[in-house]
Amino acid sequence: MENKFMVEWKKNCIRIGAPTNLLAAATSFIPVLWLCAAYDCWPALNTVLTAWGMVALSFGAFYFVEPISYYAALGMSGTYLSFLSGNIGNMRVPVAAMALDSTESQPGTLQAEVASTMAICGSIITNLVFTTMAAVVGAAVVSILPDFIVTALTKYAAAAIFGGTFGNFAIKYPKIAVFAIGIPFVLKMTTGLPAWVLIVASVFGSLAIARFFYNREGRAA
């Protein structure tokens, strides 16, 4: 019965999520198009392609890494919501992971989909409220904070969130966690590869290790 509901859930997610995300991607160009049209400052095509190429070289790996690596925690509906709203790594993934943990949901199940979706929706609403507040009073608050607190927030907050999320999963899957942190560490210490290569190697290497342990434990059972 759950498989039937799961199939229906995914079909509805795709039916709503795909056009919504495509519409958001298309409408994000409206301010730029308006600016270029209003001030007649259309850039040359080669300039646009060069700029895109520079961005793709720096962040192109994330086009593939993030949807795959985050899917287990976010689920299908959560993936659409997260890529539409942003703040994926530092907000959506942690709240989805905590929702799965607190409800004891197994990734890939309908219960996990519902739990992560509700958590992500809650985080989006929270973001909207506090982002509005930050836009109104945020600058005034930051200006009176000591420099060391501002530095800590700007430099280390994201790392702390990622570390907490990693620790949460490491407790559940310690064998995989060793490889997940070991692969980029060894590559960083022994090679001069760029950061995006380390990220790709870490994500897909961890997936391969997880698959290996899954198959081995399945055969042992």
Side-chain angles (χ1 to χ4, degrees):
M1 180 63 71
E2 181 173 343
N3 288 338
K4 177 182 178 182
F5 285 122
M6 193 65 171
V7 170
E8 187 65 23
W9 174 278
K10 289 185 175 181
K11 287 173 60 177
N12 289 331
C13 287
I14 296 171
R15 185 181 301 119
I16 298 172
T20 302
N21 276 259
L22 291 173
L23 179 63
T27 54
S28 66
F29 289 97
I30 290 177
V32 176
L33 294 175
W34 176 84
L35 183 66
C36 292
Y39 293 95
D40 192 24
C41 57
W42 298 95
L45 180 60
N46 64 325
T47 302
V48 175
L49 293 178
T50 300
W52 176 83
M54 294 174 63
V55 173
L57 285 174
S58 300
F59 304 102
F62 294 103
Y63 296 174
F64 307 97
V65 170
E66 288 191 348
I68 295 173
S69 60
Y70 293 159
Y71 183 82
L74 299 177
M76 179 169 286
S77 58
T79 298
Y80 282 122
L81 285 168
S82 298
F83 279 89
L84 184 64
S85 60
N87 292 315
I88 303 173
N90 61 357
M91 179 64 72
R92 313 304 171 215
V93 172
V95 300
M98 292 306 300
L100 298 186
D101 186 54
S102 61
T103 58
E104 299 182 352
S105 302
Q106 292 297 320
T109 63
L110 183 60
Q111 177 178 321
E113 287 277 346
V114 174
S116 63
T117 299
M118 296 300 292
I120 292 168
C121 288
S123 73
I124 293 172
I125 295 172
T126 302
N127 267 157
L128 289 173
V129 172
F130 282 93
T131 299
T132 302
M133 291 175 59
V136 176
V137 299
V141 172
V142 171
S143 65
I144 63 174
L145 292 175
D147 290 340
F148 74 93
I149 294 180
V150 176
T151 301
L153 290 174
T154 55
K155 290 188 176 182
Y156 304 113
I161 293 171
F162 277 111
T165 304
F166 175 79
N168 183 50
F169 282 101
I171 293 173
K172 296 181 182 178
Y173 312 105
K175 291 186 291 186
I176 301 172
V178 171
F179 290 95
I181 198 170
I183 291 173
F185 178 78
V186 172
L187 291 176
K188 179 68 174 178
M189 293 295 102
T190 59
T191 69
L193 295 172
W196 69 267
V197 175
L198 301 185
I199 294 171
V200 172
S202 178
V203 170
F204 289 98
S206 300
L207 288 174
I209 293 296
R211 183 67 179 177
F212 169 77
F213 283 122
Y214 175 80
N215 290 335
R216 191 177 71 171
E217 292 172 3
R219 287 194 298 267

